[in-house]
Amino acid sequence: MSILQVSAPLSVPLLFLVGAGGGIVATLAMDAVMARVDEGETPPKVASGVLTDTEPDRAPQRLASVVHYVAGTLTGPLFVWLVLVASALFGGGPIAVVAAVAVCYPLMVGFFALVVLPRSQGLSKQRLSAIRRAWGVEAAVYLLVLAPIVGAITSIV
């Protein structure tokens, strides 16, 4: 019986590290938008509130920040994986990056809007709509920053 050994070129782990770094940069760009959008700063509070079974306005701010930055950082490698899969399916380059955006955006928005937000407590229907809109804008900004970073690095590596 032989052991299956799978090896990847050094460039693949490097891409995932770049994805994490790009995720941080994209999260910082998202922060700038969050401050300007109505209910823009609420999505991390919603996540914090769900984790602590608390209303978003009373949720721990520190936990909201941690969840926000951890999720933003880890979405970067997820995006890299999507680019690699799209590259295998459609060939590399801009088409793979656009395909990854086309998959990642609905995943980001859908996960928040369909999994996290419905578990939140004490939010009116009007406020839920504003929070969904804010998250949609913020996720778009995140990917507008992340996609060129990952696209540029994948073209080099």
Side-chain angles (χ1 to χ4, degrees), residues 10-124:
L10 185 60
S11 60
V12 172
L14 179 63
L15 286 175
F16 284 104
L17 288 174
V18 167
I24 292 168
V25 171
T27 303
L28 293 171
M30 183 191 282
D31 287 347
V33 172
M34 289 171 71
R36 292 180 167 88
V37 175
D38 184 38
E39 293 288 1
E41 296 177 347
T42 306
K45 293 177 186 176
V46 167
S48 176
V50 168
L51 291 172
T52 59
D53 200 26
T54 315
E55 291 183 16
D57 294 330
R58 296 184 187 154
Q61 183 60 44
R62 180 176 286 168
L63 180 59
S65 293
V66 168
V67 169
H68 173 62
Y69 287 105
V70 167
T73 301
L74 294 179
T75 301
L78 170 65
F79 185 77
V80 167
W81 181 79
L82 291 170
V83 169
L84 292 173
V85 169
S87 294
L89 294 173
F90 309 116
I95 292 172
V97 174
V98 170
V101 169
V103 172
C104 195
Y105 182 76
L107 282 175
M108 290 174 71
V109 173
F111 180 75
F112 181 78
L114 301 174
V115 176
V116 178
L117 194 55
R119 287 168 173 73
S120 187
Q121 303 174 20
L123 296 172
S124 68

